[in-house]
Amino acid sequence: MTREEVQPAWEIIVDKGFSNYRSLTRDERVWFNLEPLTTGGISDHYINYGAEYNKDTIKDLEYINCDKIADLLKRINRFFIWGKPSKNIDRRNRQIMRLGDKYPDLLDEIDKKYWELNSELENTLLEHINETGIGLNK
Protein backbone atom coordinates (compact mmCIF):
# COMPACT_ATOMS: atom_id res chain seq x y z
CA MET A 1 0.00 0.00 0.00
CA THR A 2 1.08 3.58 -0.55
CA ARG A 3 1.29 6.41 1.97
CA GLU A 4 -1.97 7.82 0.61
CA GLU A 5 -3.73 4.47 0.99
CA VAL A 6 -2.69 4.07 4.64
CA GLN A 7 -3.63 7.64 5.62
CA PRO A 8 -6.97 6.65 7.24
CA ALA A 9 -5.20 4.06 9.43
CA TRP A 10 -2.53 6.65 10.30
CA GLU A 11 -5.21 9.07 11.52
CA ILE A 12 -6.66 6.38 13.79
CA ILE A 13 -3.22 5.62 15.24
CA VAL A 14 -2.55 9.34 15.83
CA ASP A 15 -5.84 9.70 17.73
CA LYS A 16 -5.06 6.59 19.76
CA GLY A 17 -1.48 7.70 20.47
CA PHE A 18 -2.44 11.16 21.63
CA SER A 19 -5.31 9.95 23.79
CA ASN A 20 -3.51 6.96 25.35
CA TYR A 21 0.06 6.42 24.16
CA ARG A 22 0.49 3.26 26.24
CA SER A 23 -2.44 1.63 24.43
CA LEU A 24 -0.50 1.54 21.15
CA THR A 25 0.75 -1.86 20.07
CA ARG A 26 4.48 -2.13 19.40
CA ASP A 27 3.93 -1.85 15.64
CA GLU A 28 1.55 1.10 16.01
CA ARG A 29 4.04 2.81 18.31
CA VAL A 30 6.79 2.42 15.72
CA TRP A 31 4.62 4.21 13.18
CA PHE A 32 3.42 6.84 15.67
CA ASN A 33 6.97 7.71 16.72
CA LEU A 34 8.74 7.49 13.37
CA GLU A 35 6.28 9.07 10.94
CA PRO A 36 6.90 12.59 12.31
CA LEU A 37 10.63 12.12 11.74
CA THR A 38 10.02 11.43 8.05
CA THR A 39 8.43 14.84 7.54
CA GLY A 40 10.04 17.01 10.21
CA GLY A 41 13.51 15.61 10.73
CA ILE A 42 15.68 15.56 13.81
CA SER A 43 15.44 19.22 14.89
CA ASP A 44 11.66 19.10 14.66
CA HIS A 45 11.67 15.97 16.83
CA TYR A 46 13.27 17.96 19.65
CA ILE A 47 11.74 21.40 19.12
CA ASN A 48 8.11 20.60 18.36
CA TYR A 49 6.84 17.12 19.02
CA GLY A 50 8.39 13.72 19.42
CA ALA A 51 11.07 13.98 22.06
CA GLU A 52 8.51 13.24 24.75
CA TYR A 53 8.97 9.64 23.61
CA ASN A 54 12.62 9.94 22.57
CA LYS A 55 13.71 6.72 24.29
CA ASP A 56 10.96 4.76 22.54
CA THR A 57 11.74 6.48 19.24
CA ILE A 58 15.34 5.29 19.44
CA LYS A 59 14.17 1.75 20.26
CA ASP A 60 11.70 1.90 17.37
CA LEU A 61 14.38 3.03 14.92
CA GLU A 62 16.58 0.16 16.04
CA TYR A 63 13.61 -2.24 15.83
CA ILE A 64 13.25 -1.52 12.09
CA ASN A 65 17.03 -1.47 11.59
CA CYS A 66 17.46 2.28 11.10
CA ASP A 67 20.43 2.31 13.46
CA LYS A 68 22.21 5.23 11.78
CA ILE A 69 19.27 7.52 12.53
CA ALA A 70 19.00 6.14 16.08
CA ASP A 71 22.67 7.01 16.50
CA LEU A 72 21.99 10.62 15.47
CA LEU A 73 19.37 10.94 18.22
CA LYS A 74 21.75 9.34 20.73
CA ARG A 75 24.44 11.82 19.69
CA ILE A 76 22.19 14.79 20.45
CA ASN A 77 20.98 13.20 23.69
CA ARG A 78 24.52 13.20 25.07
CA PHE A 79 24.25 16.98 25.33
CA PHE A 80 21.20 16.84 27.64
CA ILE A 81 21.29 16.45 31.39
CA TRP A 82 21.11 12.74 32.24
CA GLY A 83 21.54 11.95 28.54
CA LYS A 84 17.93 12.52 27.56
CA PRO A 85 15.75 15.48 26.56
CA SER A 86 13.16 16.87 28.92
CA LYS A 87 9.59 15.72 28.35
CA ASN A 88 8.54 19.31 28.99
CA ILE A 89 8.58 21.06 25.62
CA ASP A 90 9.41 24.53 27.01
CA ARG A 91 12.33 23.22 29.05
CA ARG A 92 13.50 21.13 26.12
CA ASN A 93 13.40 24.13 23.78
CA ARG A 94 15.52 26.13 26.22
CA GLN A 95 17.99 23.25 26.31
CA ILE A 96 18.08 23.11 22.50
CA MET A 97 18.63 26.88 22.29
CA ARG A 98 21.58 26.61 24.71
CA LEU A 99 22.92 23.70 22.72
CA GLY A 100 22.68 25.77 19.54
CA ASP A 101 24.46 28.68 21.21
CA LYS A 102 27.28 26.49 22.46
CA TYR A 103 27.62 24.31 19.33
CA PRO A 104 26.17 26.43 16.49
CA ASP A 105 26.79 23.90 13.71
CA LEU A 106 25.83 20.72 15.56
CA LEU A 107 22.10 20.58 14.80
CA ASP A 108 22.64 21.60 11.16
CA GLU A 109 25.28 18.90 10.77
CA ILE A 110 23.03 16.24 12.31
CA ASP A 111 20.01 17.38 10.28
CA LYS A 112 22.09 17.21 7.09
CA LYS A 113 23.12 13.63 7.90
CA TYR A 114 19.52 12.77 8.75
CA TRP A 115 18.11 14.06 5.46
CA GLU A 116 20.65 11.90 3.61
CA LEU A 117 19.07 8.90 5.39
CA ASN A 118 15.44 10.02 5.27
CA SER A 119 14.40 8.06 2.18
CA GLU A 120 15.74 4.88 3.78
CA LEU A 121 13.58 5.55 6.84
CA GLU A 122 10.52 6.32 4.72
CA ASN A 123 10.91 3.11 2.71
CA THR A 124 11.64 0.96 5.76
CA LEU A 125 8.70 2.42 7.66
CA LEU A 126 6.34 1.80 4.75
CA GLU A 127 7.58 -1.79 4.55
CA HIS A 128 6.90 -2.14 8.28
CA ILE A 129 3.38 -0.74 7.86
CA ASN A 130 2.62 -3.13 5.02
CA GLU A 131 4.26 -6.21 6.55
CA THR A 132 2.46 -5.82 9.87
CA GLY A 133 -0.91 -4.89 8.35
CA ILE A 134 -1.30 -1.84 10.58
CA GLY A 135 -1.97 0.29 7.49
CA LEU A 136 -5.25 -1.44 6.86
CA ASN A 137 -8.18 0.74 7.89
CA LYS A 138 -10.00 -1.30 10.50
Side-chain angles (χ1 to χ4, degrees):
M1 297 182 84
T2 66
R3 283 286 223 254
E4 293 78 25
E5 292 171 321
V6 299
Q7 182 64 31
W10 167 243
E11 292 171 10
I12 292 168
I13 288 173
V14 168
D15 288 343
K16 183 177 179 182
F18 278 119
S19 65
N20 184 359
Y21 178 80
R22 298 287 171 224
S23 72
L24 294 169
T25 67
R26 173 66 187 263
D27 294 322
E28 290 171 340
R29 190 189 84 187
V30 167
W31 193 5
F32 182 81
N33 285 331
L34 302 187
E35 182 70 29
L37 277 177
T38 67
T39 57
I42 300 284
S43 290
D44 191 62
H45 169 78
Y46 288 95
I47 294 168
N48 292 313
Y49 169 80
E52 296 85 351
Y53 304 112
N54 180 268
K55 183 178 177 182
D56 286 345
T57 301
I58 291 169
K59 287 179 185 176
D60 296 339
L61 285 163
E62 293 170 341
Y63 181 71
I64 65 168
N65 298 313
C66 287
D67 297 337
K68 290 178 184 176
I69 297 172
D71 290 344
L72 293 174
L73 293 176
K74 290 176 186 176
R75 183 174 170 201
I76 292 176
N77 287 355
R78 288 192 296 250
F79 292 95
F80 289 101
I81 299 170
W82 299 295
K84 62 183 180 179
S86 173
K87 291 185 184 256
N88 178 287
I89 194 166
D90 295 327
R91 187 173 302 128
R92 189 170 64 244
N93 279 321
R94 286 192 299 273
Q95 292 169 333
I96 287 288
M97 286 175 55
R98 282 193 297 269
L99 179 61
D101 290 343
K102 191 169 184 177
Y103 305 99
D105 298 328
L106 178 68
L107 291 175
D108 288 340
E109 173 195 328
I110 288 175
D111 268 336
K112 183 176 185 278
K113 287 180 182 177
Y114 168 76
W115 288 112
E116 292 169 1
L117 300 167
N118 182 55
S119 62
E120 176 188 339
L121 173 58
E122 286 183 339
N123 293 334
T124 304
L125 182 57
L126 189 57
E127 284 176 24
H128 172 78
I129 292 164
N130 285 320
E131 287 173 5
T132 60
I134 59 175
L136 301 172
N137 195 9
K138 299 172 186 173

